[in-house]
mmCIF file of all heavy atoms in Angstrom:
data_model
loop_
_atom_site.group_PDB
_atom_site.id
_atom_site.type_symbol
_atom_site.label_atom_id
_atom_site.label_comp_id
_atom_site.label_asym_id
_atom_site.label_seq_id
_atom_site.Cartn_x
_atom_site.Cartn_y
_atom_site.Cartn_z
ATOM 1 N N LYS A 1506 81.901 100.020 115.278
ATOM 2 C CA LYS A 1506 81.985 99.240 116.517
ATOM 3 C C LYS A 1506 82.475 97.822 116.242
ATOM 4 O O LYS A 1506 83.304 97.292 116.975
ATOM 5 C CB LYS A 1506 80.628 99.206 117.223
ATOM 6 C CG LYS A 1506 80.257 100.514 117.871
ATOM 7 C CD LYS A 1506 78.929 100.409 118.580
ATOM 8 C CE LYS A 1506 78.526 101.743 119.183
ATOM 9 N NZ LYS A 1506 77.216 101.665 119.833
ATOM 10 N N ILE A 1507 81.969 97.230 115.191
ATOM 11 C CA ILE A 1507 82.400 95.876 114.827
ATOM 12 C C ILE A 1507 83.873 95.892 114.435
ATOM 13 O O ILE A 1507 84.656 95.043 114.879
ATOM 14 C CB ILE A 1507 81.518 95.310 113.689
ATOM 15 C CG1 ILE A 1507 80.089 95.090 114.189
ATOM 16 C CG2 ILE A 1507 82.108 94.013 113.142
ATOM 17 C CD1 ILE A 1507 79.080 94.800 113.104
ATOM 18 N N ALA A 1514 90.243 92.667 119.348
ATOM 19 C CA ALA A 1514 90.422 91.243 119.649
ATOM 20 C C ALA A 1514 91.713 90.718 119.022
ATOM 21 O O ALA A 1514 92.445 89.938 119.647
ATOM 22 C CB ALA A 1514 89.221 90.442 119.155
ATOM 23 N N ILE A 1521 98.792 88.521 123.761
ATOM 24 C CA ILE A 1521 98.913 87.282 124.544
ATOM 25 C C ILE A 1521 99.951 86.364 123.914
ATOM 26 O O ILE A 1521 100.757 85.747 124.619
ATOM 27 C CB ILE A 1521 97.538 86.586 124.670
ATOM 28 C CG1 ILE A 1521 96.620 87.425 125.566
ATOM 29 C CG2 ILE A 1521 97.677 85.167 125.206
ATOM 30 C CD1 ILE A 1521 95.157 87.000 125.555
ATOM 31 N N HIS A 1523 102.546 87.274 122.225
ATOM 32 C CA HIS A 1523 103.868 87.846 122.524
ATOM 33 C C HIS A 1523 104.359 87.389 123.897
ATOM 34 O O HIS A 1523 105.561 87.191 124.097
ATOM 35 C CB HIS A 1523 103.807 89.378 122.533
ATOM 36 C CG HIS A 1523 103.991 90.022 121.205
ATOM 37 N ND1 HIS A 1523 103.055 89.941 120.209
ATOM 38 C CD2 HIS A 1523 104.991 90.792 120.721
ATOM 39 C CE1 HIS A 1523 103.479 90.630 119.160
ATOM 40 N NE2 HIS A 1523 104.648 91.158 119.437
ATOM 41 N N LEU A 1524 103.443 87.270 124.834
ATOM 42 C CA LEU A 1524 103.812 86.943 126.209
ATOM 43 C C LEU A 1524 103.877 85.444 126.486
ATOM 44 O O LEU A 1524 104.401 85.036 127.516
ATOM 45 C CB LEU A 1524 102.805 87.579 127.184
ATOM 46 C CG LEU A 1524 102.673 89.102 127.092
ATOM 47 C CD1 LEU A 1524 101.595 89.580 128.050
ATOM 48 C CD2 LEU A 1524 103.991 89.791 127.366
ATOM 49 N N GLN A 1534 112.353 88.162 115.701
ATOM 50 C CA GLN A 1534 111.995 89.197 114.724
ATOM 51 C C GLN A 1534 112.438 90.600 115.134
ATOM 52 O O GLN A 1534 112.401 91.514 114.328
ATOM 53 C CB GLN A 1534 110.481 89.202 114.516
ATOM 54 C CG GLN A 1534 109.939 87.895 113.996
ATOM 55 C CD GLN A 1534 110.699 87.374 112.805
ATOM 56 O OE1 GLN A 1534 110.855 88.057 111.814
ATOM 57 N NE2 GLN A 1534 111.189 86.161 112.902
ATOM 58 N N TRP A 1538 118.985 96.664 115.904
ATOM 59 C CA TRP A 1538 119.189 98.059 116.247
ATOM 60 C C TRP A 1538 118.268 98.558 117.359
ATOM 61 O O TRP A 1538 118.420 99.671 117.845
ATOM 62 C CB TRP A 1538 119.066 98.956 115.017
ATOM 63 C CG TRP A 1538 117.866 98.713 114.162
ATOM 64 C CD1 TRP A 1538 117.821 97.979 113.000
ATOM 65 C CD2 TRP A 1538 116.524 99.176 114.379
ATOM 66 N NE1 TRP A 1538 116.550 97.962 112.490
ATOM 67 C CE2 TRP A 1538 115.729 98.689 113.322
ATOM 68 C CE3 TRP A 1538 115.923 99.945 115.360
ATOM 69 C CZ2 TRP A 1538 114.371 98.944 113.215
ATOM 70 C CZ3 TRP A 1538 114.561 100.201 115.264
ATOM 71 C CH2 TRP A 1538 113.808 99.701 114.197
ATOM 72 N N GLY A 1551 103.915 93.249 123.748
ATOM 73 C CA GLY A 1551 102.755 92.414 124.068
ATOM 74 C C GLY A 1551 101.812 93.111 125.033
ATOM 75 O O GLY A 1551 100.588 93.105 124.852
ATOM 76 N N SER A 1560 91.468 98.750 124.841
ATOM 77 C CA SER A 1560 90.982 100.121 124.672
ATOM 78 C C SER A 1560 90.132 100.273 123.420
ATOM 79 O O SER A 1560 89.082 100.911 123.448
ATOM 80 C CB SER A 1560 92.161 101.097 124.626
ATOM 81 O OG SER A 1560 92.849 101.089 125.854
ATOM 82 N N LEU A 1561 90.578 99.688 122.313
ATOM 83 C CA LEU A 1561 89.801 99.771 121.079
ATOM 84 C C LEU A 1561 88.435 99.104 121.241
ATOM 85 O O LEU A 1561 87.416 99.642 120.810
ATOM 86 C CB LEU A 1561 90.554 99.116 119.918
ATOM 87 C CG LEU A 1561 91.613 99.953 119.237
ATOM 88 C CD1 LEU A 1561 92.479 99.097 118.338
ATOM 89 C CD2 LEU A 1561 90.980 101.088 118.442
ATOM 90 N N ALA A 1562 88.433 97.944 121.858
ATOM 91 C CA ALA A 1562 87.191 97.188 121.992
ATOM 92 C C ALA A 1562 86.198 97.846 122.953
ATOM 93 O O ALA A 1562 84.990 97.748 122.754
ATOM 94 C CB ALA A 1562 87.498 95.762 122.445
ATOM 95 N N LYS A 1569 87.300 107.478 121.552
ATOM 96 C CA LYS A 1569 87.620 106.536 120.468
ATOM 97 C C LYS A 1569 88.630 107.094 119.468
ATOM 98 O O LYS A 1569 89.508 106.375 119.012
ATOM 99 C CB LYS A 1569 86.359 106.040 119.762
ATOM 100 C CG LYS A 1569 85.662 107.062 118.906
ATOM 101 C CD LYS A 1569 84.474 106.453 118.178
ATOM 102 C CE LYS A 1569 83.882 107.473 117.234
ATOM 103 N NZ LYS A 1569 82.885 106.894 116.369
ATOM 104 N N ALA A 1578 99.547 104.966 115.637
ATOM 105 C CA ALA A 1578 100.948 105.298 115.931
ATOM 106 C C ALA A 1578 101.729 104.046 116.318
ATOM 107 O O ALA A 1578 102.887 103.874 115.911
ATOM 108 C CB ALA A 1578 101.021 106.334 117.052
ATOM 109 N N THR A 1581 102.478 102.118 113.229
ATOM 110 C CA THR A 1581 103.534 102.818 112.509
ATOM 111 C C THR A 1581 104.890 102.553 113.155
ATOM 112 O O THR A 1581 105.884 102.308 112.459
ATOM 113 C CB THR A 1581 103.243 104.339 112.483
ATOM 114 O OG1 THR A 1581 101.972 104.549 111.860
ATOM 115 C CG2 THR A 1581 104.313 105.098 111.728
ATOM 116 N N VAL A 1583 105.931 99.960 114.826
ATOM 117 C CA VAL A 1583 106.456 98.602 114.648
ATOM 118 C C VAL A 1583 106.726 98.258 113.180
ATOM 119 O O VAL A 1583 107.331 97.227 112.889
ATOM 120 C CB VAL A 1583 105.546 97.531 115.298
ATOM 121 C CG1 VAL A 1583 105.419 97.758 116.789
ATOM 122 C CG2 VAL A 1583 104.186 97.462 114.643
ATOM 123 N N PRO A 1585 108.946 99.436 111.046
ATOM 124 C CA PRO A 1585 110.353 99.165 110.731
ATOM 125 C C PRO A 1585 110.775 97.729 111.060
ATOM 126 O O PRO A 1585 111.645 97.165 110.394
ATOM 127 C CB PRO A 1585 111.112 100.178 111.594
ATOM 128 C CG PRO A 1585 110.155 101.314 111.739
ATOM 129 C CD PRO A 1585 108.801 100.651 111.864
ATOM 130 N N ASN A 1587 108.855 95.119 110.614
ATOM 131 C CA ASN A 1587 108.392 94.341 109.461
ATOM 132 C C ASN A 1587 109.342 94.501 108.281
ATOM 133 O O ASN A 1587 109.631 93.537 107.558
ATOM 134 C CB ASN A 1587 106.988 94.770 109.044
ATOM 135 C CG ASN A 1587 105.966 94.600 110.137
ATOM 136 O OD1 ASN A 1587 105.251 95.534 110.469
ATOM 137 N ND2 ASN A 1587 105.872 93.423 110.716
ATOM 138 N N ALA A 1589 112.530 95.212 108.553
ATOM 139 C CA ALA A 1589 113.749 94.480 108.915
ATOM 140 C C ALA A 1589 113.576 92.981 108.682
ATOM 141 O O ALA A 1589 114.505 92.306 108.235
ATOM 142 C CB ALA A 1589 114.115 94.755 110.375
ATOM 143 N N VAL A 1592 114.036 92.646 104.886
ATOM 144 C CA VAL A 1592 115.410 92.921 104.452
ATOM 145 C C VAL A 1592 116.381 91.842 104.943
ATOM 146 O O VAL A 1592 117.260 91.397 104.207
ATOM 147 C CB VAL A 1592 115.864 94.317 104.948
ATOM 148 C CG1 VAL A 1592 117.349 94.539 104.731
ATOM 149 C CG2 VAL A 1592 115.063 95.409 104.247
ATOM 150 N N GLY A 1599 105.099 81.654 109.211
ATOM 151 C CA GLY A 1599 104.762 81.273 107.848
ATOM 152 C C GLY A 1599 105.325 82.195 106.773
ATOM 153 O O GLY A 1599 105.104 81.978 105.593
ATOM 154 N N THR A 1602 109.335 83.121 102.711
ATOM 155 C CA THR A 1602 109.865 83.491 101.399
ATOM 156 C C THR A 1602 109.900 85.022 101.307
ATOM 157 O O THR A 1602 109.158 85.714 102.011
ATOM 158 C CB THR A 1602 108.998 82.953 100.243
ATOM 159 O OG1 THR A 1602 107.724 83.619 100.266
ATOM 160 C CG2 THR A 1602 108.808 81.443 100.318
ATOM 161 N N LEU A 1616 96.426 98.090 108.578
ATOM 162 C CA LEU A 1616 96.100 98.154 110.008
ATOM 163 C C LEU A 1616 96.018 99.607 110.488
ATOM 164 O O LEU A 1616 95.144 99.955 111.296
ATOM 165 C CB LEU A 1616 97.141 97.388 110.820
ATOM 166 C CG LEU A 1616 97.104 95.869 110.693
ATOM 167 C CD1 LEU A 1616 98.331 95.252 111.357
ATOM 168 C CD2 LEU A 1616 95.829 95.304 111.282
ATOM 169 N N TYR A 1618 95.205 102.222 108.642
ATOM 170 C CA TYR A 1618 93.945 102.723 108.082
ATOM 171 C C TYR A 1618 92.755 102.221 108.904
ATOM 172 O O TYR A 1618 91.842 102.983 109.238
ATOM 173 C CB TYR A 1618 93.828 102.279 106.622
ATOM 174 C CG TYR A 1618 92.533 102.681 105.957
ATOM 175 C CD1 TYR A 1618 92.367 103.961 105.451
ATOM 176 C CD2 TYR A 1618 91.494 101.775 105.840
ATOM 177 C CE1 TYR A 1618 91.180 104.336 104.833
ATOM 178 C CE2 TYR A 1618 90.297 102.137 105.236
ATOM 179 C CZ TYR A 1618 90.146 103.412 104.735
ATOM 180 O OH TYR A 1618 88.965 103.772 104.135
ATOM 181 N N GLY A 1629 81.838 111.862 106.969
ATOM 182 C CA GLY A 1629 82.366 111.287 105.740
ATOM 183 C C GLY A 1629 83.405 110.207 105.925
ATOM 184 O O GLY A 1629 83.854 109.606 104.964
ATOM 185 N N CYS A 1630 83.794 109.907 107.144
ATOM 186 C CA CYS A 1630 84.809 108.867 107.321
ATOM 187 C C CYS A 1630 84.210 107.591 107.908
ATOM 188 O O CYS A 1630 84.928 106.715 108.356
ATOM 189 C CB CYS A 1630 85.986 109.356 108.174
ATOM 190 S SG CYS A 1630 85.591 109.561 109.905
ATOM 191 N N LYS A 1635 75.099 103.802 104.950
ATOM 192 C CA LYS A 1635 73.916 104.622 105.307
ATOM 193 C C LYS A 1635 72.712 104.149 104.525
ATOM 194 O O LYS A 1635 72.795 103.698 103.458
ATOM 195 C CB LYS A 1635 74.192 106.099 104.985
ATOM 196 C CG LYS A 1635 75.450 106.590 105.640
ATOM 197 C CD LYS A 1635 75.147 107.172 106.976
ATOM 198 C CE LYS A 1635 76.452 107.647 107.569
ATOM 199 N NZ LYS A 1635 76.518 107.994 108.847
#
Side-chain angles (χ1 to χ4, degrees):
K1506 287 182 182 178
I1507 293 169
I1521 291 169
H1523 273 70
L1524 302 177
Q1534 300 311 305
W1538 48 261
S1560 296
L1561 278 167
K1569 71 176 185 171
T1581 302
V1583 299
N1587 301 127
V1592 170
T1602 67
L1616 289 170
Y1618 177 81
C1630 72
K1635 306 269 180 192

